[in-house]
Amino acid sequence: MQQSLKCSVNVRSCHCKWMSMVKSALVDKDHAVYLPQDEMPTHWYNILADLPEPVPPALDPKTLKPISPEPLMRIFAKELIIQEVSTERFLKIPDEVYDAYLSLPRPTPLLRARRLEKYLNTPAEIYYKCEYVNPTGSHKPNSAIAQAYYNMAQGCERIVTETGAGQWGSALAMAAALFGLQCSVYMVRASYDQKPGRRIMMETMGADVVASPSKKTRFGQSLLETDPNNTGSLGIAISEALEDCVTHDNTRYCLGSVLNHVLLHQTIIGQEAKKQFEMIGVQPDVICGCIGGGSNFAGLSYPFMADKLKGKSTTKFVACEPKAVPSTTRGVYTYDFGDTAEMTPLLKMYTVGHKYPPPPIHAGGLRYHGKAPSLCLLINKGYASSVAYSQNEVFEAALILAKTEGMITAPESAHVVRYVIDEALRCKKDGEKKIIAFNNSGHGLLDLQAYDAYLNHKLQDYEPAKIEVPKIYSSNF
Ligand SMILES: Cc1ncc(COP(=O)(O)O)c(C=O)c1O
């Protein structure tokens, strides 16, 4: 008895030593911060509980009244609609989704970009969340897994979606395979042509992929009749996926960004980051990310924004978009459709207009006319700000990251890298030691053609001369 007690004491002291060794290996402020798997957050954070005022409701375009959830049941899994309108602060991650997150794997590391800091000779500290560390290479599986799971759980057999760059489509194809669902993806033609690797990736995981606009839908056909070379847009691909959904039995639609439930699922990123920063006793001064619909930016920033909304922090939040699709920097804050064919409810957002034809920039995931309503509200109220860049300056920054950190980032994520570099250089000029945190939302290993075009001086910058957003509906909201 005594002997076994002695033995267990030894084991415990060994265990303690081992744990402290593990802990110091996990916490290295100068390089990387790993959150142990058993500390991964168990709930998603819902910013709707903490906003200074409610997000203006989605409107039915026919009645101009707030849309009721019932008609949406034909489009989305029921649980996702419940999440869409929920104002509960924390929503539990289902066990099946939690397990799938752990095997992605999550938590993702928080890395310190020491060599980038040194190259820039800045007093700023730069950290980034590695959302590219999973089989499909971006933050998108955080929502794809949840959406596929809820569809599977309610007995749906097939899910359809749109994809721009191919990151969301790949993530949903993977998630559909994990939960035994069929998956069809409408891929924006500009990206379909630029990124055959992404198409092959989706097909390898069992999805069928068509270039959008396509001949598979009436809306696609109508566009191709007027312009057979139409390069497509996310707005068009959404319309096609919605048409496919409502014309096929036991099919539901999944959206990769913009809506509250998508942003909600992405908050796993920021909640992990919060714990990681706590582990090293650091509080970020600036939090930034690129924005297509707003989900990866919201995912990292909303758990920190919660503190700002409660007056507990002065962190600055900066969203980065392309000059070619300047929704928040040059668009109008108004009600607009989420798609080109006017099939969705009206959402209040910063928009360049749902008929705006986004130029074929390589950051396909940022070619969306509007942005998430909650993010637009926060920008409108001054809690977050935004900046826009052209693609050559973005790729210049991406090359600096690649040469210093050995990381080839996605063209979308490169937008925030541009901002981070500019901010770090500003810190150098002003002698400010800021802590900058950004979301490295994806890798660019299937975007090498874009890098090749940049290296060969073939990238064109686009900037609309004039943005005209028709005021579709005036409302009191
Ligand atoms: C790597 C990457 N980052 C960012 C985005 C933009 O989407 P969101 O604003 O929803 O994060 C995309 C979209 O496809 C993407 O692939």
Side-chain angles (χ1 to χ4, degrees):
M1 176 71 187
Q2 243 186 353
Q3 205 171 3
S4 79
L5 188 67
K6 204 173 157 200
C7 178
S8 80
V9 168
N10 282 343
V11 166
R12 188 183 298 164
S13 81
C14 263
H15 180 71
C16 286
K17 261 193 219 151
W18 184 80
M19 280 307 286
S20 72
M21 272 164 61
V22 169
K23 219 174 164 218
S24 61
L26 293 173
V27 183
D28 175 356
K29 185 176 176 300
D30 287 342
H31 299 95
V33 189
Y34 297 99
L35 186 67
Q37 286 210 304
D38 60 5
E39 288 195 33
M40 188 172 79
T42 53
H43 290 66
W44 293 302
Y45 166 65
N46 183 6
I47 198 150
L48 298 198
D50 291 321
L51 286 175
E53 60 187 63
V55 173
L59 301 183
D60 182 329
K62 290 199 188 88
T63 62
L64 296 191
K65 298 254 160 44
I67 190 126
S68 67
E70 284 72 32
L72 297 176
M73 303 276 179
R74 178 60 190 86
I75 309 283
F76 295 104
K78 186 174 170 200
E79 201 58 40
L80 297 171
I81 300 169
I82 294 171
Q83 290 182 351
E84 186 63 25
V85 292
S86 169
T87 51
E88 240 177 89
R89 186 166 287 110
F90 290 101
L91 293 159
K92 188 177 179 308
I93 303 173
D95 292 346
E96 292 83 346
V97 175
Y98 196 86
D99 268 11
Y101 278 0
L102 288 176
S103 352
L104 271 176
R106 295 208 74 88
T108 57
L110 178 73
L111 292 192
R112 171 121 181 237
R114 285 292 292 230
R115 285 163 301 203
L116 177 61
E117 291 170 14
K118 197 167 165 214
Y119 171 84
L120 299 172
N121 191 20
T122 175
E125 290 182 16
I126 302 172
Y127 297 85
Y128 62 89
K129 202 61 175 138
C130 303
E131 285 304 305
Y132 50 85
V133 187
N134 67 64
T136 64
S138 80
H139 63 294
K140 297 289 183 181
N142 298 331
S143 186
I145 287 171
Q147 293 192 43
Y149 164 74
Y150 287 121
N151 274 289
M152 180 277 295
Q154 77 171 45
C156 166
E157 286 166 0
R158 176 172 174 263
I159 47 180
V160 287
T161 196
E162 75 295 327
T163 194
Q167 293 269 24
W168 166 246
S170 316
L172 197 69
M174 175 183 77
L178 292 182
F179 292 109
L181 300 172
Q182 295 165 42
C183 178
S184 295
V185 183
Y186 289 83
M187 183 174 190
V188 174
R189 180 173 291 280
S191 298
Y192 187 93
D193 294 338
Q194 284 164 353
K195 302 178 186 191
R198 278 281 162 198
R199 170 182 56 77
I200 298 164
M201 191 175 194
M202 289 182 260
E203 288 173 348
T204 303
M205 285 185 284
D208 66 86
V209 185
V210 288
S212 166
S214 77
K215 291 193 175 141
K216 274 185 85 173
T217 65
R218 290 172 71 139
F219 182 58
Q221 280 164 23
S222 72
L223 293 176
L224 290 174
E225 271 160 29
T226 37
D227 177 11
N229 299 318
N230 191 320
T231 53
S233 70
L234 275 167
I236 294 171
I238 292 172
S239 300
E240 288 207 272
L242 282 170
E243 186 183 323
D244 180 320
C245 170
V246 295
T247 52
H248 289 87
D249 287 343
N250 218 356
T251 296
R252 290 286 178 283
Y253 167 70
C254 296
L255 183 65
S257 191
V258 181
L259 294 180
N260 297 332
H261 66 266
V262 186
L263 274 54
L264 171 84
H265 302 150
Q266 294 295 350
T267 60
I268 187 78
I269 306 170
Q271 292 190 88
E272 286 175 9
K274 256 186 129 171
K275 286 189 168 195
Q276 287 163 311
F277 277 115
E278 274 161 25
M279 282 164 82
I280 55 174
V282 168
Q283 170 75 32
D285 298 302
V286 182
I287 293 182
C288 44
C290 67
I291 47 168
S295 76
N296 88 87
F297 173 77
L300 174 64
S301 64
Y302 280 7
F304 292 90
M305 181 67 84
D307 294 336
K308 182 157 174 158
L309 293 172
K310 288 176 197 139
K312 288 190 197 157
S313 95
T314 54
T315 305
K316 183 173 151 190
F317 296 90
V318 185
C320 310
E321 67 186 11
K323 276 191 175 163
V325 194
S327 316
T328 65
T329 45
R330 292 180 58 196
V332 179
Y333 189 42
T334 186
Y335 270 101
D336 196 4
F337 288 98
D339 73 321
T340 311
E342 308 187 345
M343 293 173 75
T344 68
L346 295 168
L347 300 174
K348 184 146 187 197
M349 56 187 175
Y350 280 100
T351 173
V352 285
H354 66 286
K355 299 280 187 196
Y356 177 78
I361 53 168
H362 280 272
L366 307 190
R367 294 176 74 237
Y368 185 65
H369 62 275
K371 298 287 168 276
S374 62
L375 171 61
C376 294
L377 179 77
L378 288 166
I379 292 177
N380 188 257
K381 298 281 164 209
Y383 289 96
S385 58
S386 57
V387 283
Y389 298 109
S390 56
Q391 54 176 357
N392 274 294
E393 55 187 342
V394 158
F395 275 92
E396 182 194 27
L399 256 66
I400 296 174
L401 185 77
K403 287 176 185 164
T404 53
E405 297 297 321
M407 196 279 147
I408 296 182
T409 199
E412 291 82 6
S413 328
H415 285 70
V416 68
V417 176
R418 175 75 266 170
Y419 171 75
V420 168
I421 290 177
D422 290 352
E423 177 67 5
L425 291 174
R426 192 199 59 73
C427 286
K428 177 182 169 182
K429 189 163 113 322
D430 298 344
E432 282 184 33
K433 194 180 175 320
K434 295 267 185 207
I435 309 287
I436 304 171
F438 74 99
N439 201 18
N440 205 340
S441 57
H443 70 61
L445 297 180
L446 291 170
D447 301 277
L448 294 179
Q449 267 177 304
Y451 279 85
D452 194 39
Y454 175 74
L455 290 167
N456 289 295
H457 312 288
K458 286 188 187 150
L459 273 194
Q460 201 181 324
D461 285 335
Y462 305 89
E463 210 173 327
K466 207 169 168 196
I467 303 261
E468 275 171 304
V469 182
K471 198 170 165 83
I472 316 175
Y473 301 103
S474 53
S475 88
N476 298 325
F477 293 107

